Amino acid sequence: MGFFNKLFKTQQEEETTMTNLNIGIILGSTREGRLSPQVGNWVKELADKRGDANYTIIDIAEYKLPLLGENGSDASGAAAWSEAVAAQDGFVFIAQEYNHSITGSLKNALDYLRVEWNNKAAGIVSYGSVGGARAAEHLRGILGELSVADVRVHPALSLFTDFENGAELKAAPVQVDSVNQMLDQVIPWSAALKTIR
């Protein structure tokens, strides 16, 4: 396909390109009692209604990823983790705030890979006592170093107003709009970055 054909795609061609996108929803916590599966499933349910990409939940708890470089550790899940991330065109990170930052397990999982992350787009859905805002800001810096382009819109769920008793997700209607606005940015950015990989 020539340059001008790529530049002037038809709407049907653009829609086909976007529905062929793979977007991984990465659950960023592994600890017992975590809320990230609830948040990830909620995001996936909203995303699947859009029909603009193939959305998959990727749970880092399902991979054996000991501390990177730890002697004598079983890192047998690293190859499968690499394959799962490499297969994605973009990401939505479910980031919970622990001690003003992201979880150690998410940081470790990010550090395991390099080129698998490069030239892809990402959105962040965070949660915590202040909506996970500080975790999201730390995550943005890490993603920048990994050549992941994070989008501006950032759904931030409060443990006080978006979760019942801090345990069951009951997101406010405004959060649904925020997730869709985030995906409105993640999808075209993912499609654009796919052209340079």
Side-chain angles (χ1 to χ4, degrees):
M1 180 183 286
F3 172 77
F4 287 104
N5 287 341
K6 285 176 79 173
L7 187 63
F8 298 108
K9 284 183 182 178
T10 66
Q11 182 176 356
Q12 183 178 3
E13 287 173 322
E14 285 179 10
E15 288 172 2
T16 301
T17 299
M18 289 188 181
T19 55
N20 288 334
L21 292 174
N22 296 316
I23 306 296
I25 301 170
I26 297 183
L27 306 186
S29 176
T30 58
R31 78 177 181 184
E32 191 174 340
R34 64 198 173 132
L35 300 174
S36 58
Q38 286 184 61
V39 178
N41 287 330
W42 172 70
V43 169
K44 185 176 185 323
E45 184 179 309
L46 294 173
D48 284 343
K49 290 178 184 174
R50 298 167 57 92
D52 55 2
N54 305 309
Y55 295 92
T56 305
I57 291 180
I58 302 173
D59 187 351
I60 59 178
E62 295 177 0
Y63 300 86
K64 281 192 182 288
L65 299 173
L67 286 177
L68 186 62
E70 190 174 25
N71 286 334
S73 298
D74 177 8
S76 58
W81 174 242
S82 172
E83 287 177 24
V85 171
Q88 307 309 312
D89 298 302
F91 307 97
V92 174
F93 287 91
I94 309 301
Q96 34 295 108
E97 185 170 311
Y98 292 1
N99 299 321
H100 289 210
S101 190
I102 63 172
T103 65
S105 54
L106 177 55
K107 178 63 167 77
N108 189 56
L110 287 162
D111 289 345
Y112 257 87
L113 307 176
R114 185 72 187 178
V115 296
E116 294 90 339
W117 299 115
N118 293 169
N119 299 316
K120 297 180 181 180
I124 300 169
V125 177
S126 65
Y127 63 89
S129 59
V130 291
R134 295 166 294 205
E137 288 309 305
H138 282 187
L139 181 55
R140 287 182 193 281
I142 297 163
L143 294 177
E145 179 60 23
L146 295 170
S147 296
V148 177
D150 58 284
V151 301
R152 183 185 65 81
V153 177
H154 162 214
L157 304 170
S158 168
L159 285 176
F160 303 114
T161 59
D162 292 304
F163 291 84
E164 192 172 279
N165 299 319
E168 185 180 351
L169 180 62
K170 300 279 187 181
V174 69
Q175 301 292 11
V176 173
D177 294 338
S178 188
V179 168
N180 277 304
Q181 290 167 15
M182 175 199 63
L183 292 173
D184 285 345
Q185 294 179 347
V186 169
I187 295 304
W189 282 32
S190 296
L193 287 167
K194 189 173 184 176
T195 66
I196 65 170
R197 287 199 310 278

